[in-house]
Amino acid sequence: MAKNRLDEITAMMEWSAGQGLAAVSYAQGDFRMKISRGAPVAITATSPVNTAQRAAAAKPAAGVAAPLAGICHLSPAPGAPPFVAPGDRVVPGQTLCLLEAMKVMTAVVAEYAGQVSRIAVTDGAAVTAGDLLIEVTP
């Protein structure tokens, strides 16, 4: 990994810790990374190749949990159709919902392909980190 990218990652980790965020996602070109805070801190970096290999090798969990506390928005704007509905097929990286915390919108995205089996929250609901938002079955 290039020194410049390591500096960016370090800066993002320091910034997210100062903001009290539970998780931060970063993507640039083919590089994707998600940092989740808790005990312990997990850092995951993926590329298109190892994402496909990882999906084939392990069966993912069915629940999509809130990475942070906030207000859950199931559509991109008031009155707009929801991002997903039960029965919809989703692909990795597809937006499932938005979480609003401190006037900042954070997209919650599918980490694997599957079918939405249940929406566990209502639009505008307050959620805490770890709450089940959407069930996606492989």
Side-chain angles (χ1 to χ4, degrees), residues 11-12 14 19 32 37-38 40 42 46 50 57 64 73 77 85 88 95 101 105-106 118-121 126 131-132:
M12 184 170 49
E14 291 170 357
Q19 299 296 313
R32 294 182 185 277
R37 296 204 178 278
T46 62
N50 68 21
V64 176
H73 297 282
D88 288 354
T95 300
M105 296 292 196
T106 302
R118 181 170 80 105
I119 308 291
V121 296
D131 284 356
L132 176 65

Side-chain angles (χ1 to χ4, degrees), residues 28-97:
Q28 183 177 20
D30 289 343
F31 181 80
R32 294 182 185 277
M33 177 182 72
K34 180 177 180 181
I35 299 172
S36 300
R37 296 204 178 278
V41 173
I43 300 175
T44 307
T46 62
S47 70
V49 173
N50 68 21
T51 299
Q53 291 170 344
R54 185 179 52 179
K59 183 177 180 181
V64 176
L68 52 95
I71 304 299
C72 184
H73 297 282
L74 298 176
S75 61
F83 289 105
V84 294
D88 288 354
R89 298 287 308 165
V90 296
V91 297
Q94 181 177 343
T95 300
L96 303 174
C97 63

Side-chain angles (χ1 to χ4, degrees), residues 1-9:
M1 192 175 290
K3 171 100 170 98
N4 189 26
R5 182 155 295 154
L6 287 174
D7 291 341
E8 290 176 19
I9 293 168

